[in-house]
Structure formats: structure tokens, C-alpha cells
Amino acid sequence: MLQSLASNSCVRLIQNHKSTWYFVSLILGYLLYLIFGAVVFSSVELPYEDQLRQELRTVKKQFLIENECLSEERLERFLKKALDASNYGVSILNNASANWNWDFTSSLFFASTVLSTTGYGHTAPLSDGGKAFCIIYSMIGIPFTLLFLTAVVQRIMVFSTRRPITYIHTHWGLSKQLVAIVHATLLGMLAISCFFLIPAAIFSALEENWNFLESFYFCFISLSTIGLGDYVPGEAANQKFRELYKVGITESSPGQPSEWLLLQT
């Protein structure tokens, strides 16, 4: 008797606080997913980091042996200065001196990454005025970009989704639900091809040091607005038609039409 009363009270307690239990489960699930990601990334990437550290120490030690007149402290100061400049996209390498980060085409590319919230991080404003303008520009530009993308996607949806589905359902007599499923599948395959597979093939052909996986990785990181900045197109030394290349990338970078289109369907 007491057991049944206790079980009934527990059931009522769970039912009365169903939303709370759902929220707690959601938090626990998210934390577990974060921990899972951290474990996988650590186990996969840590050996490569350790190997790179050892190689750098070996190269540094050998360099100091070959240049006895140079102290380790002076080398450390020089390397720190070079790394600080590299964090702002400025390289001291001779083969990279011809590439400017703030010419018009590079600035246009940077503006597109700001408005699309991709933010590769390979270039950042150096001056206080540039940082202040970036804040104001983003505050106005990001909502404007979202409004622009919404208007574009709504217009595209009329011609690419609603009208074809209605036409096939009306004239062919097929189930509207079936037509919608087939249409969404085809649209998804088309979006993956146009925004991932084909661009990845083009980037792997244009970028000498990128294979197809690295190009596909760049497309995904860019279109998902993660923007890690480890791969940035058009930054290789002596890049052919760099200005035209940057403008072409800029035209395709602001916004994520494939994701918007799939979400709307």
C-alpha cells in the first residue's frame, strides 16, 4: 500500500514538473556532448601538437647551435614580435610580403566575413579607429544581412519550393506530402553539391596546398559560420589573379543560402 502511494506520488511529481525535468535533461545532454567532443579532440589532436612542439624545439636548438652569437633571449623577443604580427595577418616572410591585408579586395573580403559572422581571424583591425568602426559596422550590418537574406530566401522559396510542389500535386495528382519529401531530398542534394562538393573541387584545384578534404572542410567551416581561420583562400604566396579571386570569394561568402533554404523547407 505504501509502495503504491509512493510510486503514484513520484509519478505525479514528475508529471507536474515535466518541463523542469526536460530542461535538466537537456542541460545534462549538452554537457555530456561537450565532454564527448573535448575527449575526442584531445585524443586526436594532442599527439600532433606534442610532435610539432618537439620539432620546433629541435629546430630552435639547432639554430642556436649554428648561430652562437645570437642569445636565446634575443631570439625569443624576435619570435614573439613575429608571432604577434602574424596574429594580425602580417607576415615577415619574403614570399608573403607582396600580399597586403588591407587593400580594397582584402578589405572587401574582411567586410563580408564580418557581416556573415564567419570571422576567420586571420586578419583583424590594428588601429583603435578600425576596431571602433568594426563594432559600429557590425551592429548595423549583421541585422541588415539577416534581413537581406530573409528577403532573398523568401523570394527564392516561392519559385523553388511552393510553386513546383503545388504544380506537381495539382497536375500530376501525387500526394503533396510525398512530393514535398522528394523535393526536399533533391533540394538538399543540390545544395550539398552547389555549396560543398563543387566549391571544394574548385578550391582544391586553385589552392596548391589544399586537397579535397581540406577544401571541403573549409567550405563547411565557412558556411556554418564557425570560421576557424586555419584555411583562408587567396592567401598563398604569388596567388594568380588574387584580387579577382578575392572578389569572387566575397560574392559567395556573405550568408549561408544553402542552410537557409534547407531550414525553410
Side-chain angles (χ1 to χ4, degrees), residues 8-205:
N8 289 333
S9 62
C10 288
V11 170
R12 284 197 300 270
L13 180 64
I14 294 174
Q15 289 178 346
N16 292 335
H17 299 84
K18 191 174 181 180
S19 61
T20 303
W21 288 111
Y22 174 76
F23 182 66
V24 172
S25 301
L26 188 64
I27 293 176
L28 291 176
Y30 188 73
L31 290 176
L32 288 174
Y33 195 71
L34 282 175
I35 294 171
F36 168 73
V39 169
V40 173
F41 282 126
S42 178
S43 61
V44 172
E45 295 297 329
L46 191 58
Y48 288 93
E49 180 186 4
D50 183 59
Q51 179 182 355
L52 183 59
R53 285 178 182 272
Q54 292 179 6
E55 291 176 355
L56 287 174
R57 289 193 185 101
T58 303
V59 171
K60 177 184 172 184
K61 185 177 180 180
Q62 184 64 32
F63 181 81
L64 290 173
I65 292 174
E66 295 174 355
N67 300 271
E68 296 179 356
C69 60
L70 181 65
S71 65
E72 185 174 358
E73 291 74 16
R74 290 179 61 189
L75 179 61
E76 291 280 349
R77 288 198 299 269
F78 171 75
L79 292 176
K80 184 180 183 303
K81 191 72 174 178
L83 289 174
D84 289 341
S86 179
N87 290 332
Y88 284 100
V90 179
S91 176
I92 62 171
L93 300 177
N94 289 331
N95 57 5
S97 60
N99 294 341
W100 290 87
N101 294 314
W102 295 105
D103 55 12
F104 177 75
T105 54
S106 298
S107 299
L108 184 65
F109 179 72
F110 173 77
S112 71
T113 62
V114 170
L115 295 184
S116 62
T117 68
T118 304
Y120 292 114
H122 71 295
T123 303
L126 296 171
S127 64
D128 292 339
K131 294 172 183 176
F133 176 75
C134 186
I135 295 173
I136 299 172
Y137 186 72
S138 303
M139 290 177 61
I140 299 173
I142 292 175
F144 182 58
T145 302
L146 295 175
L147 178 64
F148 167 73
L149 286 176
T150 302
V152 170
V153 170
Q154 287 178 347
R155 181 62 60 88
I156 293 175
M157 290 293 296
V158 174
F159 296 98
S160 65
T161 301
R162 294 173 189 150
R163 288 188 180 179
I165 291 176
T166 304
Y167 178 86
I168 295 174
H169 171 67
T170 304
H171 291 79
W172 293 10
L174 297 176
S175 170
K176 194 170 186 178
Q177 184 178 6
L178 176 62
V179 175
I181 293 174
V182 174
H183 180 270
T185 303
L186 294 176
L187 194 63
M189 294 173 61
L190 180 63
I192 292 173
S193 299
C194 292
F195 293 99
F196 292 97
L197 298 177
I198 296 176
I202 294 174
F203 281 125
S204 62

Side-chain angles (χ1 to χ4, degrees), residues 170-243:
T170 304
H171 291 79
W172 293 10
L174 297 176
S175 170
K176 194 170 186 178
Q177 184 178 6
L178 176 62
V179 175
I181 293 174
V182 174
H183 180 270
T185 303
L186 294 176
L187 194 63
M189 294 173 61
L190 180 63
I192 292 173
S193 299
C194 292
F195 293 99
F196 292 97
L197 298 177
I198 296 176
I202 294 174
F203 281 125
S204 62
L206 294 177
E207 299 286 340
E208 295 181 358
N209 299 323
W210 294 13
N211 57 33
F212 182 81
L213 176 60
E214 292 169 332
S215 301
F216 189 91
Y217 165 82
F218 164 75
C219 293
F220 177 81
I221 292 298
S222 299
L223 291 175
S224 59
T225 70
I226 298 174
L228 296 177
D230 47 350
Y231 289 92
V232 181
E235 295 299 316
N238 301 320
Q239 177 73 54
K240 293 181 179 180
F241 307 107
R242 184 174 184 269
E243 289 76 14

